[in-house]
Amino acid sequence: MRRLGLVAALLGLSLLPSPALAQVKGVYWTTSGFFGPFNIQGLIPSIPKEKARDVTIPVSMWIIDHPKGLVVVDTGNNNAVVDGNCKSHWVAGMCDFLKPSQKRDDTIDRQLQKLGYSVDQVKAVITSHAHLDHIGNIKMFPKAVHVIQKKELYQAWWPEKFQRDGGAFVMADFDGPARDFNYLELSGDYDLFGDGSVIVLSTPGHTLGHQSVKVQLASGKTIVMAQDAIWMKENMEGYPAGLNYSVKDYNDSITRLKMVRDLENAELYYGHDQDQYKAGGGKWLR
Ligand SMILES: [Zn+2]
């Protein structure tokens, strides 16, 4: 064994896997501009009046710096909505309600540039779901592997009737060249790099094939990007989001993420939480 170790050392090999190599150096949390201000009851109608408040919410996007490649989690609102041009790309009612404040520099390509990266360096784009504020700029990443639940692709292309009219799925975000992208079409959880450091978690309910992402950081911390499985802290208090494919699946997914938080000591980040973003957004988590 000792001799084997010596040979391995001479060859520059390690007999044991090196977890340090496999771990994520950092995760950057940013936003594709903001939505609002509007009354929280517009999003979460079940909130009682006495708990209602006006919110201005982030549109969370994440950049994961993994030794095997750069990963983007969600690409935000389409660049066409920047600088007040929302109605050129989204239905008018959605623009009037959400009031996106996105500037050109808030779009994912510029966010990557600010950190010293280019869109071509991105190896994988994980899309939590196909709503307009999450899948908006996948066309900026024609060379990446696109990680999405297969069911979510079905739903994006042909939403349920009750979800069709509101304009939450924008065909122009994923038509044309995006049809021929290199999709990793999932049916459930997935270990992205095979080393346990970036795990896609199936969290349906908000949409048919919603997914969240769990990251093991080199520091030993575990973080979970819930994205729209949990919009904001009020959803954790039992008030479900007003826009769900299935409320039952939605509740099961929140329970699942709470278990990950409690059993794995993970930090749970919500997709659209004003206060959480104010405290931790716009910086590297390590
Ligand atoms: Zn969203």
Side-chain angles (χ1 to χ4, degrees):
M1 191 64 202
R2 227 166 133 190
R3 185 170 290 174
L4 195 58
L6 185 64
V7 171
L10 286 171
L11 292 172
L13 301 171
S14 168
L15 291 177
L16 296 167
S18 172
L21 280 177
Q23 283 170 350
V24 172
K25 288 175 237 169
V27 175
Y28 191 84
W29 188 11
T30 188
T31 182
S32 192
F34 290 85
F35 290 154
F38 44 69
N39 190 299
I40 196 170
Q41 286 179 311
L43 287 176
I44 310 177
S46 58
I47 288 185
K49 254 194 192 132
E50 61 273 19
K51 290 195 174 183
R53 58 185 175 127
D54 280 345
V55 287
T56 300
I57 59 171
V59 181
S60 295
M61 307 183 290
W62 301 81
I63 296 155
I64 304 171
D65 182 7
H66 186 280
K68 288 181 185 161
L70 206 59
V71 180
V72 165
V73 178
D74 284 350
T75 54
N77 311 322
N78 192 285
N79 190 45
V81 312
V82 302
D83 301 328
N85 291 313
C86 186
K87 289 174 187 174
S88 70
H89 196 73
W90 292 357
V91 297
M94 196 58 93
C95 296
D96 293 337
F97 172 63
L98 291 175
K99 295 186 243 174
S101 68
Q102 190 171 342
K103 303 273 181 294
R104 180 65 189 90
D105 279 350
D106 296 327
T107 305
I108 187 64
D109 57 338
R110 294 280 176 89
Q111 299 281 8
L112 285 161
Q113 273 173 31
K114 279 185 239 171
L115 299 175
Y117 304 122
S118 71
V119 290
D120 286 349
Q121 281 175 275
V122 175
K123 192 166 193 176
V125 173
I126 301 173
T127 296
S128 66
H129 64 299
H131 279 163
L132 74 184
D133 53 329
H134 297 266
I135 200 170
N137 291 300
I138 60 166
K139 287 183 187 173
M140 286 183 171
F141 301 90
K143 293 179 183 167
V145 171
H146 287 267
V147 183
I148 191 164
Q149 297 289 321
K150 186 157 191 164
K151 278 182 181 174
E152 189 67 13
L153 287 172
Y154 293 160
Q155 188 190 238
W157 284 93
W158 203 266
E160 296 298 319
K161 219 168 190 177
F162 76 96
Q163 294 204 318
R164 219 171 287 164
D165 300 332
F169 297 96
V170 177
M171 190 70 77
D173 289 341
F174 41 79
D175 65 358
R179 285 287 276 189
D180 299 320
F181 279 2
N182 189 17
Y183 289 99
L184 172 53
E185 299 168 9
L186 298 179
S187 303
D189 297 353
Y190 192 80
D191 180 350
L192 191 63
F193 292 115
D195 59 16
S197 67
V198 180
I199 308 278
V200 176
L201 301 174
S202 170
T203 50
H206 178 67
T207 59
L208 180 64
H210 189 280
Q211 58 188 11
S212 303
V213 183
K214 181 175 75 171
V215 170
Q216 181 76 51
L217 289 163
S219 64
K221 275 190 203 162
T222 302
I223 67 168
V224 175
M225 293 150 245
Q227 293 303 78
D228 286 9
I230 306 168
W231 275 343
M232 54 192 85
K233 76 168 176 9
E234 280 80 355
N235 301 135
M236 296 290 275
E237 295 163 2
Y239 304 111
L243 178 68
N244 283 312
Y245 174 84
S246 157
V247 176
K248 185 207 172 284
D249 288 352
Y250 170 84
N251 282 321
D252 287 349
S253 290
I254 290 187
T255 301
R256 178 180 197 197
L257 293 174
K258 281 181 174 172
M259 287 295 166
V260 172
R261 178 195 65 187
D262 297 343
L263 293 172
E264 302 182 33
N265 222 3
E267 286 173 40
L268 196 47
Y269 291 91
Y270 317 136
H272 295 290
D273 190 287
Q274 165 184 281
D275 303 323
Q276 208 184 30
Y277 189 80
K278 220 177 264 176
K283 56 188 171 201
W284 285 100
L285 309 179
R286 296 187 197 275

